[in-house]
Amino acid sequence: MKRFCLLLLASLSVAVLTAQEVVSEVGAVADTTAVAPVSLSPNEARQQRGFSSNDCFVAKGQWIFGGTASYSTHRNKDYTFTLINDIDSEGYTVGVSPMIAYAPWRNMAVGIRFGYNRSLLALDNASISVGDTAMGIDYLHQIKHAYTGTLFWRPYIPLGHSQRFAFFVEAQLNLSGGQSKAVAENGVVDGMQNYRGTYTKSFGASLAIQPGIVAFVTNNTAIELSIGVFGIGVDRVKQIKNQVDSGSMISSDANFKLNLLSVGFGVSFYL
């Protein structure tokens, strides 16, 4: 009986030691697994951040057509605006901007956009009076044309798993040009009213970043809202006055803030 008890105690001791070794080995494997570095490819890392998605918002091979159009007009009669009094003017502004794009990959599109703007300002009278200083404009007419061509690349980021709403960030390369003609009174010479005319040509180039959101209202029609947050560009302006005198100006700028003047709203069709 005594020998049986000793054998039983020895068996229990071996079993306890074996269990402790198994637990230690499992813990070591778990620790090794926890601290082992995980190597991710760039695409996997972007997918974890949410900048790429397995959800298909824009299918590969899809064509996108769209554009914007705007028109505004004004007419003032003896109108006062802050320090400017007795404004007599009329004019209009009209603009169109068609767009076409193609999706060579899922949720990504490249395309081109054209823009044309025409504006007319006919200012017949305006005066500024600040203290003892007074200035006035009796006649100034200007007509202006502006052209814009844009190459853009746009990746889409679906909102959650939605196939109707998505964010996009559009990188743009813009080339612009334009011309304007202005005529203004230049005093009285030999009893006759004299006028001066200025012809202006301009050219510019810029890089811009424009994020936005797109929402499908039907299966193929979507509305878009975007706003500029970054832009860097250069502009060159050349003027000729009375077909005799000439002058030029080169300017550059960089913008790293929200540009409320570049808010865009449009309709696009995904075919």
Side-chain angles (χ1 to χ4, degrees), residues 83 111 118 187:
L83 299 178
R118 175 188 172 99

Side-chain angles (χ1 to χ4, degrees), residues 76-203:
N76 302 312
K77 181 65 175 178
D78 296 329
Y79 183 73
T80 298
F81 179 74
T82 61
L83 299 178
I84 306 177
N85 305 313
D86 302 324
I87 302 175
D88 294 332
S89 69
E90 61 179 328
Y92 64 84
T93 299
V94 60
V96 292
S97 179
M99 176 268 288
I100 182 172
Y102 177 74
W105 305 280
R106 182 186 60 188
N107 295 343
M108 193 172 297
V110 292
I112 188 169
R113 180 184 294 112
F114 297 98
Y116 170 73
N117 284 80
R118 175 188 172 99
S119 61
L120 171 68
L121 172 63
L123 179 60
D124 294 325
N125 182 65
S127 61
I128 301 176
S129 179
V130 180
D132 297 332
T133 303
M135 296 180 295
I137 299 175
D138 293 329
Y139 184 88
L140 173 62
H141 285 203
Q142 182 186 51
I143 186 168
K144 184 177 181 180
H145 307 266
Y147 311 88
T148 305
T150 302
L151 294 173
F152 66 87
W153 169 68
R154 176 191 289 189
Y156 293 87
I157 306 172
L159 186 60
H161 296 286
S162 174
Q163 294 185 346
R164 295 187 60 186
F165 301 92
F167 295 106
F168 65 84
V169 180
E170 189 172 287
Q172 303 174 345
L173 170 61
N174 301 298
L175 299 177
S176 61
Q179 60 179 0
S180 67
K181 299 177 182 180
V183 179
E185 289 185 350
N186 198 29
V188 178
V189 178
D190 297 331
M192 298 183 63
Q193 182 65 53
N194 188 33
Y195 295 90
R196 67 180 186 273
T198 303
Y199 176 73
T200 303
K201 293 183 66 175
S202 62
F203 176 79

Side-chain angles (χ1 to χ4, degrees), residues 33-53:
T33 304
V35 300
V38 179
S39 178
L40 297 177
S41 67
N43 287 333
E44 291 173 340
R46 283 192 290 268
Q47 189 167 356
Q48 285 192 357
R49 286 193 296 268
F51 286 100
S52 62
S53 173

